[in-house]
Amino acid sequence: MEYHAMNAATASLRQPAEARQAEMVQAVLALAAQQEPASITTTDIAKAIGLSQGAVFRHFPSKQAIWLNVAQWLEATLLPLIQTAATSSPDPLESLGNIFRAHLQFVQENPGVPRFIFHELQQPADSPVKQQVAGMLQGYSGILIRVLQQAKAQGQVLPELDERSAATLFIGSIQGLVMQSMLAGFPALQPLIAGVLALYLRAICKDMSE
């Protein structure tokens, strides 16, 4: 009986800590939408969620640990979204379109995300945060490769298509759109999505008139 009471008490203590950590992740991304991620301090994070700087360090031992938690949240949030879109249709090309739109919708809803990702990938040191972001992108590429392999098996794309290169081009097309949007202050991406997606599909698809 005492064991169960202790477990309940521990869970009760852990839940607020997890909630605070989640708040800090969202605070970092909200701040990243407004300023350079490199300029974000633990004081900024504490102020954003109404805590003291000391309270921040009770949840994370360092700023690097906060950044790693942000990267882990990104992987845990974005990859399932992409996987759901990848299996949203029996038609692989339609699934590719759904992935394209889902990713850009996620960026529109979380404008701090691309700033955070670009900042980490530009760092010269191979930090745990950079490794986490790179691993997320590798997982994303793996999902795309599987969809492209399905498209090839169904005869929808060029038989000589290199799926890895096509996955790289897909992600690069999204990154290009996001960068253009960032330069313009994050206007709506919707008017550009259809045109860029159509160009991508035209580049990889088999000419069905042959």
Side-chain angles (χ1 to χ4, degrees):
M1 190 73 175
E2 288 181 4
Y3 174 78
H4 290 299
M6 287 175 62
N7 275 353
T10 302
S12 176
L13 288 171
R14 184 167 58 246
Q15 184 57 38
E18 291 171 352
R20 282 298 191 190
Q21 289 169 354
E23 280 185 310
M24 290 182 209
V25 167
Q26 294 307 311
V28 169
L29 293 174
L31 289 165
Q34 303 165 8
Q35 64 191 79
E36 286 297 317
S39 70
I40 299 171
T41 66
T42 52
T43 301
D44 294 329
I45 298 167
K47 185 178 179 180
I49 60 175
L51 290 179
S52 67
Q53 190 176 21
V56 169
F57 287 116
R58 282 199 292 273
H59 294 285
F60 291 104
S62 65
K63 179 179 172 180
Q64 184 79 353
I66 300 173
W67 256 235
L68 181 58
N69 204 249
V70 173
Q72 290 168 342
W73 177 87
L74 284 175
E75 181 170 358
T77 305
L78 181 58
L79 287 192
L81 185 71
I82 299 306
Q83 182 60 52
T84 297
T87 56
S88 60
S89 171
D91 182 341
L93 296 184
E94 186 174 336
S95 291
L96 283 174
N98 291 339
I99 293 172
F100 202 84
R101 287 183 286 271
H103 187 163
L104 290 169
Q105 180 63 35
F106 178 76
V107 169
Q108 286 284 107
E109 294 171 357
N110 300 275
V113 165
R115 292 185 186 277
F116 179 86
I117 291 175
F118 291 149
H119 172 264
E120 289 306 319
L121 293 178
Q122 288 171 8
Q123 301 308 304
D126 193 20
S127 69
V129 182
K130 185 176 181 179
Q131 291 174 5
Q132 183 78 31
V133 172
M136 177 187 69
L137 292 175
Q138 186 176 1
Y140 190 157
S141 182
I143 293 171
L144 289 171
I145 287 170
R146 288 191 290 274
V147 176
L148 289 162
Q149 288 172 339
Q150 292 167 6
K152 183 182 282 189
Q154 294 183 23
Q156 294 179 312
V157 298
L158 298 167
E160 69 274 18
L161 181 73
D162 180 77
E163 293 93 345
R164 189 167 298 278
S165 296
T168 300
L169 179 61
F170 184 98
I171 295 173
S173 298
I174 290 177
Q175 289 173 333
L177 274 174
V178 171
M179 289 187 72
Q180 290 292 326
S181 180
M182 288 168 63
L183 288 170
F186 278 102
L189 286 166
Q190 277 71 21
L192 300 173
I193 291 175
V196 173
L197 179 60
L199 284 172
Y200 174 80
L201 293 176
R202 192 178 304 164
I204 69 168
C205 285
K206 183 178 179 182
D207 186 351
M208 302 308 290
S209 66
E210 292 179 358

